[in-house]
């Protein structure tokens, strides 16, 4: 199956990426080739097979609910592109 | 024998006997880095000062007869995807170029506790996505055996650093072959442990159900030494398993008896290079001469492994990499420029009377995410995020992701069945002995097919080891891969050691001048 440029553009929004015209063009061709290859899985009958999400099928790994020290806020904010010492700063989210 | 020719095991013996100092060992390796790394490009950063300070501290403690750790004084190169507190960890991506880790990954913490000398951070494909280290945002890593070839990937920097004698030991990660494939291409020994055997805490996530950290070294003995240092259950990683960690480096001396080795029928089909085929078959004959029986086995679903992997890994990656949003850490686009761009677009649409398009324009926050990510990620990372987002999107989930999870179980069942008859599965690590830089750069699908022999182990969650079993006419190493049932790392290491006692391929050294 080949993807259309419109589909690729829609996926780029879902993925929070922004692709140039040239990138959209290349991505459409390349993703179509990869998806075409992947579609060989359709020839397998898997109706009775349970999906395997993990190699080690562990379930409900709990720990005791105890307070433990974590990284200081100042250290976490040190990597922020923009912060005011307490919070991360981002462009205005609500309209004016 | 010069210091850099000695194995880590020999160096540890010399260090304990105080016939050599940790400073001398570290300086010897720093000299090799200074001589060769401009050509090879294995390292992203070398910490000569930190390494020497650590080496001096160890020498002092040894002189005072104070206790020292399991790897005291041995240089270790670490793939630049494991967090080390206070140090930059880039994942070879522009998006993390200035990111300093706020905590230690468990593996790095264990190396520090073992008094390893952390000598530098090695190059990789961006976020470990790739098989050639060509996808690093900073530079390509060249194969020390032929500088016009790539070192493999994604742990190409770690593999090249060990092959070129710039580090005796290195840490890699393996999501679809990223330890084993570069180990094969660079002629070293690399082991991907069973999923859950080594903690992933503090390892920047690519595909969480597949990622594993493992040792890279020149010999199986040295890989054993490193594995026993880093393996074991970690409460900080909820997928970590309560598996015992035997003293691999002691047990390795014990040869395996009554070994049955399986040859996978599907691994020797068309597409396999004739020199690789011959070297692998010679290697099997060596095992036979050591008493092993050989049996043909079938992994009927192995031809679907690459397709399955390239649904599951990008799906997990698209989710994991959603955290790079330009808000919490990492690269953010120029805000003023971004707002001006949005404003100009809105005005243009309004002037054209296209109210619908103007209303659908990104909000400032969404545009910040999109621009930051598009400027920060390289082409391969974007491709995989797109592929994963597509596979998980409404209308396609069942056809792709769910289907792939079902085939994943079939692949695992193939291995379980094969291991009823054999102790180990042997085969080639890669289809050819080396690839030129740029050869497949424009064809992602051709690049993905390089993972043919390695991805199944990640999907099944089993361990695998690769080590050299010959050289091509052109002088490039050829790797043999052994795979074992879950948590049989001991079997892999002992089998590799048996081979290395009978052969000397692993002692060859690339001629770098």
């Amino acid at each position: 199956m080949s993807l259309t440029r419109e589909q690729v553009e829609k996926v780029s929004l879902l993925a929070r990426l922004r692709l140039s015209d040239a990138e959209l063009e290349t991505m459409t061709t390349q993703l179509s080739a990869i998806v075409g290859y992947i579609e060989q899985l359709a020839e397998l009958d898997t109706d009775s097979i349970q999906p395997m999400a993990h190699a080690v099928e562990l379930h409900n790994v709990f720990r005791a609910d105890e307070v433990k020290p974590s990284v200081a806020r100042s250290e976490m904010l040190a990597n922020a592109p923009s912060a005011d010492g307490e919070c991360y700063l981002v462009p205005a989210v609500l309209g004016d | 024998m010069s210091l850099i020719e000695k194995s880590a095991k020999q160096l540890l013996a010399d260090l304990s006997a105080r016939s050599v100092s940790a400073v001398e060992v570290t300086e010897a390796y720093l000299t090799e880095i200074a001589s060769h790394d401009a050509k090879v490009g294995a390292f992203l950063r070398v910490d000569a000062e930190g390494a020497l300070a650590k080496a001096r501290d160890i020498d002092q403690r040894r002189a005072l007869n104070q206790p020292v750790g399991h790897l005291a004084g041995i240089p270790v190169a670490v793939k630049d995807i494991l967090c080390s507190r206070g140090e930059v960890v880039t994942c070879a991506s522009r998006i993390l170029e200035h990111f300093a880790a706020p905590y230690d990954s468990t593996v790095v913490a264990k190396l520090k506790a073992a008094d390893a000398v952390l000598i530098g951070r090695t190059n990789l494909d961006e976020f470990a996505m790739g098989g050639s280290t060509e996808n690093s945002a900073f530079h390509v890593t060249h194969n020390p055996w032929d500088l016009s070839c790539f070192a493999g990937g994604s742990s190409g920097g770690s593999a090249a650093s060990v092959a070129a004698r710039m580090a005796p030991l290195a840490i890699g990660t393996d999501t679809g072959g990223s330890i084993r494939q570069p180990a094969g291409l660079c002629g070293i020994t690399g082991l991907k442990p069973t999923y859950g055997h080594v903690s992933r805490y503090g390892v920047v996530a690519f595909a969480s159900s597949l990622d594993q950290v493992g040792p890279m070294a020149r010999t199986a003995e040295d890989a054993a030494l490193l594995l026993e240092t880093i393996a074991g259950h970690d409460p900080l990683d909820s997928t970590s398993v309560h598996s015992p960690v035997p003293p691999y480096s002691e047990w390795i001396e014990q040869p395996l008896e009554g070994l049955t080795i399986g040859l996978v029928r599907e691994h020797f089909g068309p597409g396999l290079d004739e020199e690789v085929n011959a070297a692998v078959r010679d290697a099997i004959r060596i095992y036979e001469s050591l008493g092993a029986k050989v049996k043909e086995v079938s992994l009927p679903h192995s031809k679907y492994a690459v397709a399955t992997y390239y649904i599951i890994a990008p799906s997990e990656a698209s989710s994991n990499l959603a955290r790079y949003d330009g808000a919490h850490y990492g690269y953010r686009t120029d805000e003023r420029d971004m707002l001006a761009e949005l404003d100009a677009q809105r005005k243009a649409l309004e002037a054209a009377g296209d109210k619908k398009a103007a209303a659908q324009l990104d909000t400032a926050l969404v545009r910040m995410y999109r621009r930051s990510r598009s400027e920060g990620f390289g082409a391969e990372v974007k491709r995989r995020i797109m592929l994963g987002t597509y596979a998980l999107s409404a209308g396609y989930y069942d056809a792709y992701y769910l289907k792939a999870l079902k085939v994943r179980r079939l692949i695992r069942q193939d291995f379980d069945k094969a291991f009823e008859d054999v102790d180990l599965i042997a085969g080639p690590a890669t289809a050819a002995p080396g690839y030129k830089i740029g050869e497949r750069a424009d064809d992602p699908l051709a690049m993905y097919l390089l993972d043919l022999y390695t991805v199944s182990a990640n999907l099944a969650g089993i361990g695998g080891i690769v080590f050299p079993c010959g050289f091509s006419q052109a002088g490039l190493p050829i790797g043999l891969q052994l795979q074992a049932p879950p948590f049989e790392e001991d079997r892999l290491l002992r089998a590799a050691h048996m081979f290395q006692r009978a052969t000397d391929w692993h002692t060859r050294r690339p001629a770098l001048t």
Side-chain angles (χ1 to χ4, degrees), chain A residues 27-78:
Chain A
M27 197 70 87
T28 305
T29 315
Q30 291 176 337
L31 290 185
S32 295
I34 298 164
V35 169
Y37 177 79
I38 282 168
E39 283 184 338
Q40 62 174 297
L41 296 190
E43 67 196 50
L44 284 170
D45 177 4
T46 53
D47 286 350
S48 60
I49 309 295
Q50 283 296 309
M52 173 178 162
H54 235 267
V56 180
E57 294 176 278
L58 295 169
H59 297 287
N60 297 338
V61 176
F62 293 123
R63 63 165 173 79
D65 186 16
E66 290 160 358
V67 178
K68 288 193 176 155
S70 60
V71 181
R73 175 160 62 181
S74 59
E75 279 187 68
M76 291 310 274
L77 286 177

Side-chain angles (χ1 to χ4, degrees), chain B residues 147-455:
Chain B
L147 296 173
S148 71
C149 289
F150 56 64
S154 67
S155 309
S158 291
S161 72
V162 172
R165 309 301 194 254
M166 297 190 285
L169 300 175
I171 294 289
T173 63
D174 190 316
T175 303
S178 284
I179 287 174
R180 291 162 291 152
Q181 183 255 41
L185 294 176
C186 289
I188 64 158
T189 304
L191 184 145
K192 180 203 103 70
T194 307
Y195 184 84
H197 196 42
V198 178
S199 169
R200 293 183 299 108
Y201 178 72
V203 182
V204 179
F206 158 17
S208 303
S209 82
L210 305 165
D211 297 342
Q212 255 307 274
V213 183
M216 303 177 83
R218 294 210 306 268
T219 63
E221 272 186 306
D222 281 3
L225 200 59
L226 188 51
L227 181 63
E228 67 199 12
T229 308
I230 62 172
H233 177 254
D234 178 12
L236 295 171
D237 173 2
S238 63
T239 60
S240 153
V241 176
H242 281 276
S243 53
V245 182
Y248 296 115
S249 66
E250 286 173 35
W251 289 11
I252 201 165
E253 295 300 331
Q254 189 69 35
L256 294 159
E257 283 170 28
L259 197 59
T260 306
I261 293 180
L263 283 187
V264 180
R265 192 176 307 143
E266 293 82 3
H267 283 180
F268 294 89
L272 181 63
D273 176 273
E274 199 32 61
E275 286 184 288
V276 176
N277 183 29
V280 168
R281 290 189 186 276
D282 284 347
I284 301 305
R285 276 191 281 277
I286 288 172
Y287 276 109
E288 284 179 303
S289 76
L290 297 171
K293 282 203 235 11
V294 176
K295 204 169 171 179
E296 193 174 82
V297 292
S298 174
L299 299 175
H301 297 95
S302 63
K303 68 168 180 157
Y304 300 104
V306 172
T308 305
Y309 178 84
Y310 279 96
I311 296 172
I312 293 174
S315 295
E316 294 186 17
S318 72
S319 169
N320 271 327
L321 272 64
R323 71 190 65 180
Y324 304 103
D325 57 3
H328 297 92
Y329 49 85
Y331 172 82
R332 178 186 292 189
T333 189
D334 183 299
E335 255 179 89
R336 209 172 284 188
D337 186 61
M338 182 267 298
L339 291 170
E341 179 197 51
L342 257 184
D343 203 42
Q345 281 182 314
R346 185 176 299 110
K347 282 184 179 143
L349 289 169
E350 283 167 358
D354 194 343
K355 280 188 186 154
K356 194 176 161 227
Q360 283 178 345
L361 208 57
D362 292 343
T363 63
L365 188 66
V366 167
R367 183 58 63 87
M368 183 195 84
Y369 294 153
R370 296 182 77 182
R371 269 184 49 149
S372 300
R373 290 162 61 80
S374 295
E375 291 164 9
F377 290 136
E380 181 60 27
V381 173
K382 287 184 205 176
R383 199 150 40 231
R384 298 212 192 180
I385 290 174
M386 291 288 291
L387 187 57
T389 306
Y390 174 72
L392 292 175
S393 62
Y396 298 103
Y397 178 88
D398 283 4
Y400 295 120
Y401 186 67
L402 195 63
K403 182 84 184 181
L405 293 186
K406 291 178 169 188
V407 182
R408 183 176 186 181
R409 185 170 302 279
L410 293 173
I411 289 168
R412 170 65 188 252
Q413 286 172 349
D414 283 354
F415 277 107
D416 289 345
K417 191 160 178 294
F419 285 128
E420 286 172 10
D421 292 335
V422 298
D423 303 306
L424 291 166
I425 288 172
T430 56
Y435 303 88
K436 295 283 180 196
I437 289 168
E439 191 180 296
R440 298 184 171 208
D442 296 328
D443 188 351
L445 188 55
M447 203 72 210
Y448 297 170
L449 290 167
L450 282 185
D451 299 340
L452 190 62
Y453 298 120
T454 49
V455 287

Side-chain angles (χ1 to χ4, degrees), chain B residues 7-152:
Chain B
S7 70
K9 197 181 174 188
Q10 291 167 320
L11 286 173
L12 270 179
D14 293 352
L15 285 160
S16 312
R18 287 196 229 150
S19 59
V20 66
S21 72
V23 167
E24 287 170 314
V25 172
T26 303
E27 279 173 345
Y29 278 101
L30 287 171
T31 303
E32 292 304 300
I33 294 172
S35 315
H36 303 309
D37 204 39
K39 278 171 288 184
V40 176
F43 286 90
L44 289 173
R45 292 176 306 286
V46 176
D47 183 13
E49 210 176 297
L52 286 169
K54 178 77 181 179
R56 274 191 294 271
D57 169 55
I58 293 157
D59 285 338
Q60 208 163 20
R61 277 156 50 202
R62 275 208 172 96
L64 296 169
N65 284 319
Q66 288 173 354
V68 291
H70 192 58
L71 292 178
I74 303 295
V76 180
V78 177
K79 187 177 184 179
D80 201 25
I81 197 166
L82 288 96
C83 290
S84 183
R85 186 177 156 83
E87 286 177 57
V88 169
V89 48
T90 67
C91 301
S93 181
R94 293 279 172 212
I95 216 159
L96 289 178
E97 195 172 355
H98 305 293
F99 173 76
Y103 56 86
D104 274 338
S105 53
T106 296
V107 167
V108 166
K110 285 185 175 211
L111 289 171
K112 287 178 178 174
D115 288 320
V117 172
L118 301 177
I119 199 164
R121 310 282 296 185
T122 56
N123 199 18
L124 62 151
D125 286 296
E126 185 176 359
F127 286 103
M129 296 180 192
S132 66
T133 319
E134 292 171 296
N135 299 324
S136 166
F138 304 113
H139 58 250
V140 179
T141 299
H142 299 258
N143 193 317
W145 293 95
D146 177 348
L147 296 173
S148 71
C149 289
F150 56 64

